[in-house]
Amino acid sequence: QVQLVESGGGLVQPGGSLRLSCVASGFTFSSYSMAWYRQAPGKERELVAFITSTTGITNYADSVKGRFSISRDNAKNTVYLQMNSLKPEDTAVYYCNRGTNRFGNWGQGTQVTVSS
């Protein structure tokens, strides 16, 4: 019933930009905070960016602060992650989920590879 479909990843050179999208369905999207997470090979999944349900207050991991920007369009049930000044260490599979009370079933994510 709940679906989280990430897209927008790809191969980009260091310093480049990508915009990820996550289309959600199966729950009242506008009532929940949303977040982006990422998981690099051999590492644990980590929180990257967070946005509240109504006020749009955001928070970011220190590693991406100043480079990434999370936003949402409640009319489209979509959350975005604008990624600028990408670094090789940003390489990971990126997932969206709720910021709290996360769904146990994660989507397939979208691969971001930063390499020259």
Side-chain angles (χ1 to χ4, degrees), residues 58-105:
T58 60
N59 201 4
Y60 301 91
D62 287 342
S63 59
V64 307
K65 194 170 297 182
R67 300 188 296 118
F68 291 10
S69 179
I70 187 171
S71 61
R72 66 191 297 162
D73 186 340
N74 286 342
K76 296 181 178 179
N77 282 13
T78 302
V79 60
Y80 304 95
L81 185 67
Q82 178 67 48
M83 306 186 295
N84 299 321
S85 302
L86 283 162
K87 303 175 180 179
E89 50 263 48
D90 296 319
T91 296
V93 178
Y94 284 71
Y95 304 88
C96 64
N97 209 322
R98 297 203 294 207
T100 57
N101 297 110
R102 293 170 294 279
F103 296 111
N105 291 329

Side-chain angles (χ1 to χ4, degrees), residues 8 12 25 27 35 40 45 50 57 64 67 77 80 83 95 106 109:
V12 64
S25 61
F27 67 102
R45 185 184 290 114
F50 176 99
I57 297 173
V64 307
R67 300 188 296 118
N77 282 13
Y80 304 95
M83 306 186 295
Y95 304 88
W106 295 74

Side-chain angles (χ1 to χ4, degrees), residues 2-4 6 22 25-27 31-38 44-51 95-107:
V2 173
Q3 285 191 301
L4 300 165
E6 301 93 344
C22 171
S25 61
F27 67 102
S31 296
Y32 294 91
S33 61
M34 294 295 294
W36 284 94
Y37 305 80
R38 68 185 181 188
E44 297 295 322
R45 185 184 290 114
E46 64 174 342
L47 178 70
V48 175
F50 176 99
I51 186 167
Y95 304 88
C96 64
N97 209 322
R98 297 203 294 207
T100 57
N101 297 110
R102 293 170 294 279
F103 296 111
N105 291 329
W106 295 74

